[in-house]
């Protein structure tokens, strides 16, 4: 997280909150908000697994969708909009396994959890998780 934050700052980002290691023992990092992050920053090109959010503004919805789908990762996505039309477009075009619109992540055991592209294969949770354990067969018998 430290390397990603430092790289974003070198590329012009502003640390709006957090950005520091917590303590000397363990791997603890402050929840971090980075503003005005350049698309070349590592935080937008690697798949970070830590409490960090990178924010970048867009003028058109199409630009945001292109950026969201640019990388080979697709675990989760978040979008905030006042437009139901934009929410519909995002839900059809953003390539992620889980998309939350106008809300934080909400996971429950009955919902599938999984990514697309290089962020995972299949799902865990929900009835979709059972598919990996099933052997679906087709049998046809006709009396002679």
């Amino acid at each position: 997280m430290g390397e990603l934050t430092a790289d974003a700052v070198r590329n012009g980002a502003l640390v709006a909150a957090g950005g520091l290691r917590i303590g000397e023992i363990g791997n603890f990092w402050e929840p971090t908000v980075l503003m005005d992050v350049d698309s070349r920053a590592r935080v937008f090109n690697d798949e970070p697994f830590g409490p960090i959010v990178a924010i970048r503004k867009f003028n058109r919805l199409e630009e945001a969708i292109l950026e969201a789908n640019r990388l080979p990762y697709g675990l989760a996505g978040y979008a905030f909009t006042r437009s139901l039309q934009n929410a519909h477009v995002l839900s059809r075009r953003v390539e992620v396994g889980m998309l939350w619109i106008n809300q934080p992540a909400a996971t429950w055991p009955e919902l599938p959890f999984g990514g697309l592209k290089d962020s995972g294969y299949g799902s865990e949770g929900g009835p979709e998780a059972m598919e990996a354990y099933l052997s679906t067969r087709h049998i046809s018998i006709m009396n002679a």
Side-chain angles (χ1 to χ4, degrees):
M1 294 296 100
E3 290 176 15
L4 293 176
T5 300
D7 177 72
V9 170
R10 279 192 301 275
N11 279 284
L14 170 70
V15 178
L20 299 172
R21 180 182 174 85
I22 299 173
E24 298 297 321
I25 300 172
N27 295 309
F28 299 99
W29 187 259
E30 293 178 339
T32 301
V33 178
L34 302 171
M35 302 287 295
D36 300 320
V37 181
D38 187 279
S39 64
R40 295 171 295 188
R42 283 187 50 208
V43 71
F44 272 149
N45 292 285
D46 294 342
E47 193 172 24
F49 285 96
I52 189 167
V53 62
I55 299 172
R56 184 169 164 232
K57 295 178 186 176
F58 296 93
N59 293 318
R60 296 180 324 116
L61 182 60
E62 184 63 29
E63 292 176 74
I65 293 170
L66 287 171
E67 178 63 20
N69 295 337
R70 177 175 61 88
L71 297 176
Y73 308 114
L75 182 59
Y78 305 86
F80 294 88
T81 180
R82 292 186 182 118
S83 165
L84 286 176
Q85 181 179 350
N86 286 348
H88 178 71
V89 169
L90 290 164
S91 70
R92 293 179 52 111
R93 298 201 34 222
V94 174
E95 299 167 354
V96 292
M98 301 168 288
L99 178 64
W100 289 277
I101 299 177
N102 296 337
Q103 62 183 314
T107 58
W108 296 289
E110 60 272 14
L111 296 178
F113 180 96
L116 300 181
K117 304 191 275 188
D118 287 350
S119 289
Y121 175 77
S123 291
E124 55 188 69
E128 293 80 5
M130 296 301 296
E131 291 175 12
Y133 299 99
L134 299 177
S135 296
T136 304
R137 303 179 332 150
H138 172 93
I139 300 172
S140 176
I141 301 173
M142 187 193 253
N143 285 338

